[in-house]
Every structure is written in C-alpha cells, then in structure tokens.
Amino acid sequence: MDPGRLAVGGKTTVDEQAMARTAMKGVTDICRRATQCRSCFADLSIKPTDGDMAQPRWIGPGYFTAKQRVVCVLINPGKGGSVTTSSAIEGRAHLRAFSQGHCDLKPIFDHQRRSIPTWGRGKMLAFYTRGLGLDLDAIALANIAWCSTADNKYPDPMLLRCFQEHTLPLLLELEPNAVVLSGSKTHAFALHIKAALPGASVIGTLHYAHRKGYESEKAELERVRGLLGGSTTS
C-alpha cells in the first residue's frame, strides 16, 4: 500500500480530503505571514540575502492522508548558490507572488519538487528517502529559521523568534506523528516541540551533511528507522 494514502477502496475518504483542505488553509496563512515578516533583519545584526524572504518548505501531496505524518526539520535554508540562475529567479518570483496573495503554495511546492533532488548535491533527498525509507510525497519539511542570511549565520535570538512565530505554529497545524530533528542545533528545540505536541515522537538525528563517516551514518539511520517504525515506506 502507498503509505501516502489511507486505503479506503484505494482512495482517501471525503472526510480526509476535507480535513486536508482545512489544514492546508491554515498552513497557507502561516506561510504567507512568514514571507511578510522581516523583524529579525530590522532589529538583529543580520542581513538577508539579495531579494530573499522566508521560504516555506515542501509538504507532500500525500502528507495529510499518510498513515503516519512525518515532518523533517532542519535549522535553516542556507545561503544557497547563485541567485541569478533561472531556477533561483523562478523560485523568488513564486515567493513574491505568494507573499502578495496572487497564488497559493502550489507553484512554490511544484518548483521545490523539481529542485529537491539537487539540494545539498543530492545528499538531502538520499538521507531521508533511501536512508530513512521515507516517501518524499508523503512527508513535510520545515526549517527553524525560514530566511537565509547574507553571511549564513543564524544567531540564537533569530532561531528562537522564528521558531516561536512561524515554525511551531506550522507544526501545530501539521499535527505530525513524528518530528525528525536533523542536526545538533535543531535538537535544542526538542523540549518545546514535545510540550506542544505531546502525542508526537520527537527524534534527534544527524544533519544530512554531517562529517561523521559512513559507519556512523549507517548505524544512525538504522536507529532512526527503528524509531519511526511504520512511518517508513520500505
């Protein structure tokens, strides 16, 4: 069975579809507010990248009807590569249109779905799909900090503010069964998430770009797959 769906005659039920639509409206509102937020750049000693704004992250089309909902959380979107590539220009155009209320999240997610295989030179997708056995179309991604910064530095006040104002409300709307915190800096938010989502498993693990070596990664992936249990697809 496709883990991105609950089997009811091979289809999601009307109630499940309605719940997914309602949840996505809440997600959309949270993400649009985030794209309009510039508070960290106004009163903290950090600068944004050129033309950048908060970047909502991928929510698979099968997330809300998955038998177990898994959100993978990283620390920040990173400075990224050239802002002049056609892909980067397209991505920024979608973000601006969404922020101004001219479209929903679909163009952003469609663009990300095409781009995700290249993120982290392919390491990110491999870590979560091949490594943890997750189905990209049935999971959600999130960052603690939603904006990238010019010097790729993310001070604690920025992380805490963005988490409280944007990431935590997003997690509450997503109602995951499991939250995978990737990278040591995300682990600091585990207690906050557990308090807000007492029914969810909160699992700290490596960042996909760690430097601990193959054997450490192999053992860690096996450990996390065991904790996720039925969340995995293989």
Side-chain angles (χ1 to χ4, degrees):
M1 183 182 72
D2 178 0
R5 294 193 175 275
L6 293 175
V8 181
K11 299 180 180 179
T12 55
T13 67
V14 172
D15 286 347
E16 290 162 354
Q17 293 169 0
M19 289 172 62
R21 286 194 296 270
T22 300
M24 275 308 300
K25 183 183 183 304
V27 167
T28 298
D29 292 343
I30 291 165
C31 290
R32 184 164 285 126
R33 286 196 298 271
T35 62
Q36 297 166 350
C37 177
R38 307 304 285 167
S39 63
C40 290
F41 300 116
D43 55 26
L44 297 175
S45 57
I46 51 176
K47 296 180 179 180
T49 54
D50 293 340
D52 189 41
M53 61 178 63
Q55 301 174 41
R57 279 303 190 235
W58 169 257
I59 300 171
Y63 173 81
F64 285 106
T65 52
K67 62 182 179 182
Q68 291 202 63
R69 297 184 297 276
V70 180
V71 180
C72 300
V73 179
L74 291 94
I75 196 67
N76 60 264
K79 185 176 179 180
S82 172
V83 296
T84 61
T85 64
S86 59
S87 179
I89 292 169
E90 179 188 353
R92 290 200 306 278
H94 291 321
L95 284 172
R96 285 194 298 270
F98 172 73
S99 181
Q100 294 166 6
H102 299 319
C103 68
D104 59 17
L105 285 164
K106 187 177 186 302
I108 295 174
F109 289 166
D110 287 348
H111 179 259
Q112 289 185 7
R113 188 62 177 83
R114 297 190 298 271
S115 302
I116 284 172
T118 70
W119 289 1
R121 299 180 179 178
K123 292 181 179 179
M124 194 203 79
L125 183 60
F127 187 87
Y128 293 114
T129 57
R130 188 166 65 244
L132 292 180
L134 297 171
D135 177 0
L136 181 62
D137 288 330
I139 64 170
L141 304 177
N143 284 315
I144 300 296
W146 289 40
C147 294
S148 58
T149 64
D151 57 4
N152 208 29
K153 292 182 180 179
Y154 298 83
D156 289 344
M158 177 187 184
L159 295 174
L160 183 59
R161 178 183 297 180
C162 204
F163 174 80
Q164 291 175 334
E165 294 185 4
H166 308 303
T167 310
L168 186 57
L170 176 67
L171 291 174
L172 290 170
E173 197 68 47
L174 291 174
E175 294 185 313
N177 302 109
V179 178
V180 178
L181 298 176
S182 299
S184 58
K185 292 200 75 171
T186 66
H187 300 176
F189 296 90
L191 292 179
H192 297 286
I193 296 171
K194 287 178 181 177
L197 296 166
S201 298
V202 181
I203 305 166
T205 189
L206 300 170
H207 189 278
Y208 69 84
H210 69 89
R211 299 180 180 178
K212 294 184 178 294
Y214 172 77
E215 291 300 329
S216 293
E217 176 176 302
K218 181 180 177 182
E220 179 63 3
L221 291 173
E222 184 176 352
R223 180 187 74 87
V224 176
R225 284 177 69 115
L227 293 172
L228 287 171
S231 300
T232 57
T233 67
S234 60

